[in-house]
PDB file of all heavy atoms in Angstrom:
ATOM      1  N   PRO A  20     115.713 326.833 -25.661  1.00  0.00           N
ATOM      2  CA  PRO A  20     115.055 325.897 -26.564  1.00  0.00           C
ATOM      3  C   PRO A  20     115.410 324.455 -26.169  1.00  0.00           C
ATOM      4  O   PRO A  20     116.449 324.207 -25.538  1.00  0.00           O
ATOM      5  CB  PRO A  20     115.629 326.228 -27.943  1.00  0.00           C
ATOM      6  CG  PRO A  20     116.774 327.135 -27.732  1.00  0.00           C
ATOM      7  CD  PRO A  20     116.769 327.613 -26.322  1.00  0.00           C
ATOM      8  N   VAL A  21     114.542 323.541 -26.540  1.00  0.00           N
ATOM      9  CA  VAL A  21     114.715 322.130 -26.185  1.00  0.00           C
ATOM     10  C   VAL A  21     114.406 321.277 -27.405  1.00  0.00           C
ATOM     11  O   VAL A  21     113.532 321.624 -28.201  1.00  0.00           O
ATOM     12  CB  VAL A  21     113.775 321.751 -25.026  1.00  0.00           C
ATOM     13  CG1 VAL A  21     113.838 320.253 -24.734  1.00  0.00           C
ATOM     14  CG2 VAL A  21     114.138 322.540 -23.771  1.00  0.00           C
ATOM     15  N   GLY A  22     115.124 320.194 -27.510  1.00  0.00           N
ATOM     16  CA  GLY A  22     114.885 319.286 -28.624  1.00  0.00           C
ATOM     17  C   GLY A  22     114.700 317.856 -28.156  1.00  0.00           C
ATOM     18  O   GLY A  22     115.070 317.489 -27.040  1.00  0.00           O
ATOM     19  N   TRP A  23     114.081 317.071 -29.034  1.00  0.00           N
ATOM     20  CA  TRP A  23     113.947 315.627 -28.842  1.00  0.00           C
ATOM     21  C   TRP A  23     114.707 314.921 -29.971  1.00  0.00           C
ATOM     22  O   TRP A  23     114.599 315.311 -31.146  1.00  0.00           O
ATOM     23  CB  TRP A  23     112.491 315.197 -28.879  1.00  0.00           C
ATOM     24  CG  TRP A  23     111.724 315.428 -27.618  1.00  0.00           C
ATOM     25  CD1 TRP A  23     110.942 316.502 -27.309  1.00  0.00           C
ATOM     26  CD2 TRP A  23     111.646 314.543 -26.491  1.00  0.00           C
ATOM     27  NE1 TRP A  23     110.395 316.341 -26.059  1.00  0.00           N
ATOM     28  CE2 TRP A  23     110.807 315.148 -25.537  1.00  0.00           C
ATOM     29  CE3 TRP A  23     112.204 313.294 -26.193  1.00  0.00           C
ATOM     30  CZ2 TRP A  23     110.503 314.552 -24.306  1.00  0.00           C
ATOM     31  CZ3 TRP A  23     111.905 312.700 -24.975  1.00  0.00           C
ATOM     32  CH2 TRP A  23     111.071 313.331 -24.053  1.00  0.00           C
ATOM     33  N   PHE A  24     115.419 313.892 -29.580  1.00  0.00           N
ATOM     34  CA  PHE A  24     116.159 313.052 -30.515  1.00  0.00           C
ATOM     35  C   PHE A  24     115.825 311.599 -30.223  1.00  0.00           C
ATOM     36  O   PHE A  24     115.272 311.280 -29.189  1.00  0.00           O
ATOM     37  CB  PHE A  24     117.675 313.246 -30.332  1.00  0.00           C
ATOM     38  CG  PHE A  24     118.211 314.559 -30.813  1.00  0.00           C
ATOM     39  CD1 PHE A  24     117.932 315.742 -30.136  1.00  0.00           C
ATOM     40  CD2 PHE A  24     119.019 314.627 -31.935  1.00  0.00           C
ATOM     41  CE1 PHE A  24     118.434 316.964 -30.579  1.00  0.00           C
ATOM     42  CE2 PHE A  24     119.527 315.833 -32.387  1.00  0.00           C
ATOM     43  CZ  PHE A  24     119.230 317.001 -31.708  1.00  0.00           C
ATOM     44  N   ARG A  25     116.202 310.729 -31.136  1.00  0.00           N
ATOM     45  CA  ARG A  25     116.121 309.302 -30.858  1.00  0.00           C
ATOM     46  C   ARG A  25     117.378 308.645 -31.413  1.00  0.00           C
ATOM     47  O   ARG A  25     118.046 309.189 -32.300  1.00  0.00           O
ATOM     48  CB  ARG A  25     114.869 308.664 -31.444  1.00  0.00           C
ATOM     49  CG  ARG A  25     114.792 308.658 -32.958  1.00  0.00           C
ATOM     50  CD  ARG A  25     113.470 308.072 -33.411  1.00  0.00           C
ATOM     51  NE  ARG A  25     113.317 308.127 -34.861  1.00  0.00           N
ATOM     52  CZ  ARG A  25     112.204 307.794 -35.509  1.00  0.00           C
ATOM     53  NH1 ARG A  25     111.136 307.375 -34.813  1.00  0.00           N
ATOM     54  NH2 ARG A  25     112.151 307.863 -36.816  1.00  0.00           N
ATOM     55  N   GLN A  26     117.651 307.473 -30.887  1.00  0.00           N
ATOM     56  CA  GLN A  26     118.849 306.762 -31.303  1.00  0.00           C
ATOM     57  C   GLN A  26     118.541 305.282 -31.489  1.00  0.00           C
ATOM     58  O   GLN A  26     118.022 304.625 -30.573  1.00  0.00           O
ATOM     59  CB  GLN A  26     119.975 306.943 -30.279  1.00  0.00           C
ATOM     60  CG  GLN A  26     121.314 306.403 -30.730  1.00  0.00           C
ATOM     61  CD  GLN A  26     122.442 306.837 -29.807  1.00  0.00           C
ATOM     62  OE1 GLN A  26     122.233 307.134 -28.633  1.00  0.00           O
ATOM     63  NE2 GLN A  26     123.664 306.892 -30.343  1.00  0.00           N
ATOM     64  N   PHE A  27     118.874 304.786 -32.671  1.00  0.00           N
ATOM     65  CA  PHE A  27     118.762 303.368 -32.969  1.00  0.00           C
ATOM     66  C   PHE A  27     120.093 302.710 -32.634  1.00  0.00           C
ATOM     67  O   PHE A  27     121.146 303.362 -32.669  1.00  0.00           O
ATOM     68  CB  PHE A  27     118.428 303.156 -34.440  1.00  0.00           C
ATOM     69  CG  PHE A  27     117.180 303.847 -34.888  1.00  0.00           C
ATOM     70  CD1 PHE A  27     117.241 304.942 -35.747  1.00  0.00           C
ATOM     71  CD2 PHE A  27     115.929 303.422 -34.459  1.00  0.00           C
ATOM     72  CE1 PHE A  27     116.087 305.595 -36.160  1.00  0.00           C
ATOM     73  CE2 PHE A  27     114.772 304.066 -34.867  1.00  0.00           C
ATOM     74  CZ  PHE A  27     114.862 305.164 -35.708  1.00  0.00           C
ATOM     75  N   PRO A  28     120.091 301.414 -32.327  1.00  0.00           N
ATOM     76  CA  PRO A  28     121.346 300.733 -31.989  1.00  0.00           C
ATOM     77  C   PRO A  28     122.396 300.911 -33.080  1.00  0.00           C
ATOM     78  O   PRO A  28     122.136 300.683 -34.259  1.00  0.00           O
ATOM     79  CB  PRO A  28     120.922 299.268 -31.854  1.00  0.00           C
ATOM     80  CG  PRO A  28     119.483 299.331 -31.470  1.00  0.00           C
ATOM     81  CD  PRO A  28     118.931 300.520 -32.193  1.00  0.00           C
ATOM     82  N   GLY A  29     123.571 301.344 -32.674  1.00  0.00           N
ATOM     83  CA  GLY A  29     124.673 301.490 -33.610  1.00  0.00           C
ATOM     84  C   GLY A  29     124.594 302.705 -34.514  1.00  0.00           C
ATOM     85  O   GLY A  29     125.397 302.850 -35.441  1.00  0.00           O
ATOM     86  N   LYS A  30     123.622 303.583 -34.255  1.00  0.00           N
ATOM     87  CA  LYS A  30     123.442 304.761 -35.111  1.00  0.00           C
ATOM     88  C   LYS A  30     123.646 306.040 -34.312  1.00  0.00           C
ATOM     89  O   LYS A  30     123.626 306.039 -33.086  1.00  0.00           O
ATOM     90  CB  LYS A  30     122.024 304.764 -35.702  1.00  0.00           C
ATOM     91  CG  LYS A  30     121.692 303.544 -36.541  1.00  0.00           C
ATOM     92  CD  LYS A  30     122.439 303.554 -37.861  1.00  0.00           C
ATOM     93  CE  LYS A  30     121.953 302.423 -38.752  1.00  0.00           C
ATOM     94  NZ  LYS A  30     122.677 302.401 -40.051  1.00  0.00           N
ATOM     95  N   GLU A  31     123.838 307.141 -35.042  1.00  0.00           N
ATOM     96  CA  GLU A  31     123.915 308.456 -34.416  1.00  0.00           C
ATOM     97  C   GLU A  31     122.521 308.887 -33.954  1.00  0.00           C
ATOM     98  O   GLU A  31     121.506 308.414 -34.472  1.00  0.00           O
ATOM     99  CB  GLU A  31     124.440 309.481 -35.422  1.00  0.00           C
ATOM    100  CG  GLU A  31     125.856 309.224 -35.912  1.00  0.00           C
ATOM    101  CD  GLU A  31     126.875 309.501 -34.829  1.00  0.00           C
ATOM    102  OE1 GLU A  31     126.690 310.470 -34.072  1.00  0.00           O
ATOM    103  OE2 GLU A  31     127.854 308.738 -34.733  1.00  0.00           O
ATOM    104  N   ARG A  32     122.506 309.811 -33.014  1.00  0.00           N
ATOM    105  CA  ARG A  32     121.212 310.345 -32.574  1.00  0.00           C
ATOM    106  C   ARG A  32     120.584 311.146 -33.707  1.00  0.00           C
ATOM    107  O   ARG A  32     121.267 311.898 -34.407  1.00  0.00           O
ATOM    108  CB  ARG A  32     121.402 311.218 -31.330  1.00  0.00           C
ATOM    109  CG  ARG A  32     121.731 310.384 -30.115  1.00  0.00           C
ATOM    110  CD  ARG A  32     121.868 311.215 -28.861  1.00  0.00           C
ATOM    111  NE  ARG A  32     122.319 310.355 -27.771  1.00  0.00           N
ATOM    112  CZ  ARG A  32     122.595 310.772 -26.551  1.00  0.00           C
ATOM    113  NH1 ARG A  32     122.467 312.047 -26.247  1.00  0.00           N
ATOM    114  NH2 ARG A  32     123.002 309.935 -25.637  1.00  0.00           N
ATOM    115  N   GLU A  33     119.274 310.991 -33.832  1.00  0.00           N
ATOM    116  CA  GLU A  33     118.520 311.586 -34.932  1.00  0.00           C
ATOM    117  C   GLU A  33     117.565 312.633 -34.373  1.00  0.00           C
ATOM    118  O   GLU A  33     116.783 312.349 -33.455  1.00  0.00           O
ATOM    119  CB  GLU A  33     117.738 310.474 -35.635  1.00  0.00           C
ATOM    120  CG  GLU A  33     116.704 310.906 -36.642  1.00  0.00           C
ATOM    121  CD  GLU A  33     115.878 309.725 -37.127  1.00  0.00           C
ATOM    122  OE1 GLU A  33     116.287 309.068 -38.095  1.00  0.00           O
ATOM    123  OE2 GLU A  33     114.823 309.459 -36.517  1.00  0.00           O
ATOM    124  N   PHE A  34     117.618 313.823 -34.951  1.00  0.00           N
ATOM    125  CA  PHE A  34     116.723 314.900 -34.522  1.00  0.00           C
ATOM    126  C   PHE A  34     115.286 314.545 -34.868  1.00  0.00           C
ATOM    127  O   PHE A  34     114.999 314.054 -35.969  1.00  0.00           O
ATOM    128  CB  PHE A  34     117.125 316.201 -35.209  1.00  0.00           C
ATOM    129  CG  PHE A  34     116.154 317.328 -35.005  1.00  0.00           C
ATOM    130  CD1 PHE A  34     116.147 318.048 -33.824  1.00  0.00           C
ATOM    131  CD2 PHE A  34     115.237 317.659 -35.998  1.00  0.00           C
ATOM    132  CE1 PHE A  34     115.254 319.083 -33.639  1.00  0.00           C
ATOM    133  CE2 PHE A  34     114.343 318.695 -35.818  1.00  0.00           C
ATOM    134  CZ  PHE A  34     114.347 319.416 -34.634  1.00  0.00           C
ATOM    135  N   LEU A  35     114.378 314.840 -33.938  1.00  0.00           N
ATOM    136  CA  LEU A  35     112.960 314.632 -34.166  1.00  0.00           C
ATOM    137  C   LEU A  35     112.180 315.943 -34.165  1.00  0.00           C
ATOM    138  O   LEU A  35     111.389 316.205 -35.058  1.00  0.00           O
ATOM    139  CB  LEU A  35     112.368 313.716 -33.102  1.00  0.00           C
ATOM    140  CG  LEU A  35     112.881 312.290 -33.071  1.00  0.00           C
ATOM    141  CD1 LEU A  35     112.265 311.551 -31.885  1.00  0.00           C
ATOM    142  CD2 LEU A  35     112.571 311.571 -34.366  1.00  0.00           C
ATOM    143  N   ALA A  36     112.408 316.754 -33.115  1.00  0.00           N
ATOM    144  CA  ALA A  36     111.611 317.969 -32.971  1.00  0.00           C
ATOM    145  C   ALA A  36     112.324 318.933 -32.033  1.00  0.00           C
ATOM    146  O   ALA A  36     113.077 318.515 -31.157  1.00  0.00           O
ATOM    147  CB  ALA A  36     110.232 317.640 -32.426  1.00  0.00           C
ATOM    148  N   GLY A  37     112.061 320.216 -32.229  1.00  0.00           N
ATOM    149  CA  GLY A  37     112.612 321.233 -31.349  1.00  0.00           C
ATOM    150  C   GLY A  37     111.585 322.310 -31.090  1.00  0.00           C
ATOM    151  O   GLY A  37     110.661 322.522 -31.896  1.00  0.00           O
ATOM    152  N   ILE A  38     111.743 322.994 -29.966  1.00  0.00           N
ATOM    153  CA  ILE A  38     110.801 324.050 -29.593  1.00  0.00           C
ATOM    154  C   ILE A  38     111.562 325.188 -28.942  1.00  0.00           C
ATOM    155  O   ILE A  38     112.466 324.966 -28.122  1.00  0.00           O
ATOM    156  CB  ILE A  38     109.709 323.502 -28.658  1.00  0.00           C
ATOM    157  CG1 ILE A  38     108.619 324.534 -28.398  1.00  0.00           C
ATOM    158  CG2 ILE A  38     110.298 322.983 -27.350  1.00  0.00           C
ATOM    159  CD1 ILE A  38     107.368 323.949 -27.732  1.00  0.00           C
ATOM    160  N   GLY A  39     111.232 326.426 -29.316  1.00  0.00           N
ATOM    161  CA  GLY A  39     111.861 327.588 -28.729  1.00  0.00           C
ATOM    162  C   GLY A  39     111.421 327.801 -27.288  1.00  0.00           C
ATOM    163  O   GLY A  39     110.476 327.164 -26.805  1.00  0.00           O
ATOM    164  N   TRP A  40     112.078 328.710 -26.615  1.00  0.00           N
ATOM    165  CA  TRP A  40     111.833 328.865 -25.186  1.00  0.00           C
ATOM    166  C   TRP A  40     110.401 329.286 -24.875  1.00  0.00           C
ATOM    167  O   TRP A  40     109.837 328.903 -23.851  1.00  0.00           O
ATOM    168  CB  TRP A  40     112.823 329.874 -24.580  1.00  0.00           C
ATOM    169  CG  TRP A  40     112.528 331.304 -24.940  1.00  0.00           C
ATOM    170  CD1 TRP A  40     112.981 332.003 -26.013  1.00  0.00           C
ATOM    171  CD2 TRP A  40     111.670 332.195 -24.204  1.00  0.00           C
ATOM    172  NE1 TRP A  40     112.472 333.266 -26.013  1.00  0.00           N
ATOM    173  CE2 TRP A  40     111.663 333.429 -24.917  1.00  0.00           C
ATOM    174  CE3 TRP A  40     110.928 332.084 -23.036  1.00  0.00           C
ATOM    175  CZ2 TRP A  40     110.932 334.524 -24.484  1.00  0.00           C
ATOM    176  CZ3 TRP A  40     110.196 333.170 -22.602  1.00  0.00           C
ATOM    177  CH2 TRP A  40     110.207 334.386 -23.319  1.00  0.00           C
ATOM    178  N   SER A  41     109.791 330.052 -25.762  1.00  0.00           N
ATOM    179  CA  SER A  41     108.441 330.545 -25.507  1.00  0.00           C
ATOM    180  C   SER A  41     107.357 329.642 -26.089  1.00  0.00           C
ATOM    181  O   SER A  41     106.171 329.943 -25.966  1.00  0.00           O
ATOM    182  CB  SER A  41     108.279 331.940 -26.102  1.00  0.00           C
ATOM    183  OG  SER A  41     108.390 331.880 -27.517  1.00  0.00           O
ATOM    184  N   GLY A  42     107.784 328.553 -26.722  1.00  0.00           N
ATOM    185  CA  GLY A  42     106.807 327.668 -27.345  1.00  0.00           C
ATOM    186  C   GLY A  42     106.698 327.849 -28.843  1.00  0.00           C
ATOM    187  O   GLY A  42     106.018 327.069 -29.523  1.00  0.00           O
ATOM    188  N   GLY A  43     107.338 328.880 -29.351  1.00  0.00           N
ATOM    189  CA  GLY A  43     107.358 329.085 -30.795  1.00  0.00           C
ATOM    190  C   GLY A  43     108.572 328.401 -31.400  1.00  0.00           C
ATOM    191  O   GLY A  43     109.188 327.546 -30.767  1.00  0.00           O
ATOM    192  N   GLU A  44     108.897 328.808 -32.629  1.00  0.00           N
ATOM    193  CA  GLU A  44     110.068 328.241 -33.324  1.00  0.00           C
ATOM    194  C   GLU A  44     110.121 326.727 -33.188  1.00  0.00           C
ATOM    195  O   GLU A  44     111.083 326.134 -32.724  1.00  0.00           O
ATOM    196  CB  GLU A  44     111.393 328.832 -32.821  1.00  0.00           C
ATOM    197  CG  GLU A  44     111.628 330.252 -33.231  1.00  0.00           C
ATOM    198  CD  GLU A  44     111.202 331.242 -32.156  1.00  0.00           C
ATOM    199  OE1 GLU A  44     110.877 330.805 -31.041  1.00  0.00           O
ATOM    200  OE2 GLU A  44     111.191 332.439 -32.447  1.00  0.00           O
ATOM    201  N   ARG A  45     109.067 326.081 -33.642  1.00  0.00           N
ATOM    202  CA  ARG A  45     109.003 324.619 -33.599  1.00  0.00           C
ATOM    203  C   ARG A  45     109.467 324.059 -34.941  1.00  0.00           C
ATOM    204  O   ARG A  45     109.095 324.561 -36.002  1.00  0.00           O
ATOM    205  CB  ARG A  45     107.577 324.139 -33.311  1.00  0.00           C
ATOM    206  CG  ARG A  45     107.008 324.665 -32.025  1.00  0.00           C
ATOM    207  CD  ARG A  45     105.676 324.043 -31.704  1.00  0.00           C
ATOM    208  NE  ARG A  45     104.946 324.830 -30.724  1.00  0.00           N
ATOM    209  CZ  ARG A  45     103.934 324.385 -30.008  1.00  0.00           C
ATOM    210  NH1 ARG A  45     103.525 323.126 -30.159  1.00  0.00           N
ATOM    211  NH2 ARG A  45     103.320 325.162 -29.153  1.00  0.00           N
ATOM    212  N   TYR A  46     110.250 323.008 -34.835  1.00  0.00           N
ATOM    213  CA  TYR A  46     110.772 322.356 -36.029  1.00  0.00           C
ATOM    214  C   TYR A  46     110.589 320.851 -35.881  1.00  0.00           C
ATOM    215  O   TYR A  46     110.694 320.313 -34.771  1.00  0.00           O
ATOM    216  CB  TYR A  46     112.254 322.680 -36.230  1.00  0.00           C
ATOM    217  CG  TYR A  46     112.550 324.155 -36.324  1.00  0.00           C
ATOM    218  CD1 TYR A  46     113.076 324.847 -35.247  1.00  0.00           C
ATOM    219  CD2 TYR A  46     112.293 324.855 -37.494  1.00  0.00           C
ATOM    220  CE1 TYR A  46     113.343 326.197 -35.325  1.00  0.00           C
ATOM    221  CE2 TYR A  46     112.558 326.214 -37.584  1.00  0.00           C
ATOM    222  CZ  TYR A  46     113.081 326.886 -36.492  1.00  0.00           C
ATOM    223  OH  TYR A  46     113.352 328.226 -36.581  1.00  0.00           O
ATOM    224  N   TYR A  47     110.343 320.197 -37.007  1.00  0.00           N
ATOM    225  CA  TYR A  47     110.149 318.754 -37.005  1.00  0.00           C
ATOM    226  C   TYR A  47     110.972 318.118 -38.118  1.00  0.00           C
ATOM    227  O   TYR A  47     111.107 318.684 -39.209  1.00  0.00           O
ATOM    228  CB  TYR A  47     108.675 318.401 -37.209  1.00  0.00           C
ATOM    229  CG  TYR A  47     107.773 318.885 -36.104  1.00  0.00           C
ATOM    230  CD1 TYR A  47     107.059 320.077 -36.231  1.00  0.00           C
ATOM    231  CD2 TYR A  47     107.634 318.152 -34.924  1.00  0.00           C
ATOM    232  CE1 TYR A  47     106.240 320.528 -35.202  1.00  0.00           C
ATOM    233  CE2 TYR A  47     106.810 318.590 -33.906  1.00  0.00           C
ATOM    234  CZ  TYR A  47     106.124 319.787 -34.055  1.00  0.00           C
ATOM    235  OH  TYR A  47     105.308 320.225 -33.033  1.00  0.00           O
ATOM    236  N   ALA A  48     111.473 316.936 -37.836  1.00  0.00           N
ATOM    237  CA  ALA A  48     112.155 316.184 -38.878  1.00  0.00           C
ATOM    238  C   ALA A  48     111.133 315.690 -39.895  1.00  0.00           C
ATOM    239  O   ALA A  48     110.006 315.328 -39.526  1.00  0.00           O
ATOM    240  CB  ALA A  48     112.896 314.999 -38.274  1.00  0.00           C
ATOM    241  N   ASP A  49     111.519 315.661 -41.137  1.00  0.00           N
ATOM    242  CA  ASP A  49     110.608 315.199 -42.190  1.00  0.00           C
ATOM    243  C   ASP A  49     110.146 313.765 -41.924  1.00  0.00           C
ATOM    244  O   ASP A  49     109.019 313.409 -42.271  1.00  0.00           O
ATOM    245  CB  ASP A  49     111.301 315.273 -43.550  1.00  0.00           C
ATOM    246  CG  ASP A  49     111.471 316.698 -44.043  1.00  0.00           C
ATOM    247  OD1 ASP A  49     110.775 317.598 -43.538  1.00  0.00           O
ATOM    248  OD2 ASP A  49     112.320 316.903 -44.941  1.00  0.00           O
ATOM    249  N   SER A  50     111.019 312.975 -41.315  1.00  0.00           N
ATOM    250  CA  SER A  50     110.706 311.561 -41.103  1.00  0.00           C
ATOM    251  C   SER A  50     109.541 311.346 -40.151  1.00  0.00           C
ATOM    252  O   SER A  50     108.913 310.284 -40.169  1.00  0.00           O
ATOM    253  CB  SER A  50     111.941 310.827 -40.585  1.00  0.00           C
ATOM    254  OG  SER A  50     112.374 311.380 -39.348  1.00  0.00           O
ATOM    255  N   VAL A  51     109.234 312.320 -39.315  1.00  0.00           N
ATOM    256  CA  VAL A  51     108.167 312.146 -38.336  1.00  0.00           C
ATOM    257  C   VAL A  51     107.113 313.249 -38.414  1.00  0.00           C
ATOM    258  O   VAL A  51     106.139 313.236 -37.648  1.00  0.00           O
ATOM    259  CB  VAL A  51     108.725 312.085 -36.900  1.00  0.00           C
ATOM    260  CG1 VAL A  51     109.584 310.845 -36.721  1.00  0.00           C
ATOM    261  CG2 VAL A  51     109.490 313.362 -36.564  1.00  0.00           C
ATOM    262  N   LYS A  52     107.290 314.189 -39.331  1.00  0.00           N
ATOM    263  CA  LYS A  52     106.355 315.303 -39.430  1.00  0.00           C
ATOM    264  C   LYS A  52     104.944 314.781 -39.674  1.00  0.00           C
ATOM    265  O   LYS A  52     104.726 313.890 -40.493  1.00  0.00           O
ATOM    266  CB  LYS A  52     106.776 316.237 -40.560  1.00  0.00           C
ATOM    267  CG  LYS A  52     106.071 317.573 -40.577  1.00  0.00           C
ATOM    268  CD  LYS A  52     106.658 318.481 -41.648  1.00  0.00           C
ATOM    269  CE  LYS A  52     108.066 318.915 -41.292  1.00  0.00           C
ATOM    270  NZ  LYS A  52     108.622 319.873 -42.272  1.00  0.00           N
ATOM    271  N   GLY A  53     104.008 315.331 -38.941  1.00  0.00           N
ATOM    272  CA  GLY A  53     102.623 314.889 -39.040  1.00  0.00           C
ATOM    273  C   GLY A  53     102.265 313.839 -38.010  1.00  0.00           C
ATOM    274  O   GLY A  53     101.083 313.589 -37.763  1.00  0.00           O
ATOM    275  N   ARG A  54     103.273 313.212 -37.421  1.00  0.00           N
ATOM    276  CA  ARG A  54     103.011 312.186 -36.408  1.00  0.00           C
ATOM    277  C   ARG A  54     103.448 312.618 -35.018  1.00  0.00           C
ATOM    278  O   ARG A  54     103.064 311.960 -34.036  1.00  0.00           O
ATOM    279  CB  ARG A  54     103.736 310.875 -36.759  1.00  0.00           C
ATOM    280  CG  ARG A  54     103.241 310.207 -38.015  1.00  0.00           C
ATOM    281  CD  ARG A  54     103.676 308.757 -38.062  1.00  0.00           C
ATOM    282  NE  ARG A  54     105.118 308.601 -38.087  1.00  0.00           N
ATOM    283  CZ  ARG A  54     105.809 307.884 -37.206  1.00  0.00           C
ATOM    284  NH1 ARG A  54     105.193 307.284 -36.204  1.00  0.00           N
ATOM    285  NH2 ARG A  54     107.114 307.761 -37.322  1.00  0.00           N
TER     286      ARG A  54
END
């Protein structure tokens, strides 16, 4: 599985989205869901 994160200056890395190895098991952070 692979994930995407982002980091603002001076902040911890924030989870954005993840995907399972086969393309299933996708998860999104509420802050970016829909975008």
